[in-house]
Amino acid sequence: MVDIIKIQYEQISKRLQQEVGLTEQQIEEKVNAKVEQLSGLISKEGAAHIIANEYGVKLFEQQSGKLQISNILSGMRNVEVLGMVRAVYEVREFNTEKRSGKVGSFLIADETGPVRIVLWGNQTDLMRDLKEGFIVKIKGGYVKENSGRKEIHLNERADLIINPPGETVNVSLSSSGSYASQSIRKNISDLNENDANVEIAGTIVQAFEPKFFEVCPQCKKRARQREDSFHCEAHGQVIPDYSYVLNVFVDDGTDNIRVVCFSQTADQILKKTKDEVLLLKDSPQLFSSVQTELLGNVIKASGRVTKNAMFDRLEFVARNATYPDPETELQKLKAEVVK
Ligand SMILES: [Zn+2]
């Protein structure tokens, strides 16, 4: 099972009907509203992906196995994580028309970030002995989004193992800002201008033809055309190399943002080599099939946020982009344990 399986609109619609109980017409209306909200910057399929995400309908293969917290996506089931307890909150009893019971929660973190764990009913008893600094392993949790934050919920079938033997987590207790070297996962709606090292994950809802520009092959700075030759300020007349930039819109259900990807990052998103990308320079008509391939796929990107002054909007400049693949993450984790 690898990266992303493309799913047609009809299939998504069927899943929403079966799993959420929406009618075909309701789905159609929601999709059209989403398309309109994004000023047409989204395919119907892309919009359906987002709506499925919003309802927690999982369109990808069932994923299980231990994950880093930053790789947890809303809608995942049977999730396994290992983390250090950072805070334990009070168990609350509730009584509504529909049901009554208990709910409790605590916060854990691994080296990639924090996540809240939510327990229901008798499961809350497991929290009694929990203390800050303990290592816990969660098995069989499912991921929900609550006010834009991901939470791992544990039902009766899920396990909470306290201080599992031989397991450690690389987070120091004292440092609350201990994730500085790691990108912090954020919702797009929570991004702000000063974010220098953040990670987003969302669906590609639009992609634009890459733009190419001539650079000096030695210093990679822009080479300017003078009559029929190119010149670098430092290196004089040169036969230019090419750099490029690819812009895509990514939507995570909270908002969407333009993600700017320069050469190598563009290669990652396009899953192409530089030579393959350069073919698009002379044959831009080839891009429409590339675009179709990109739309509706979920990517994870880390980078920084900048303000585009001309349009008065935020943009995300990606330093690294990947198609999340839990299998690989799992292998990586296993490899680390062996070391
Ligand atoms: Zn140069």
Side-chain angles (χ1 to χ4, degrees), residues 216-221 232-236 238:
C216 166
Q218 270 176 274
C219 64
K220 300 291 173 198
K221 289 201 179 115
C232 165
E233 255 176 45
H235 298 100
V238 293

Side-chain angles (χ1 to χ4, degrees), residues 41 48 52 58 64 67-68 105 113 163 174 213 225 229 239 244 259-260 327 336:
L41 281 171
K58 235 176 81 50
S64 65
L67 289 167
Q68 288 189 309
S105 69
N163 292 326
S174 52
F213 40 97
Q225 188 163 20
S229 61
I239 295 168
Y244 38 92
V259 176
V260 182
E327 216 81 77
E336 275 164 24

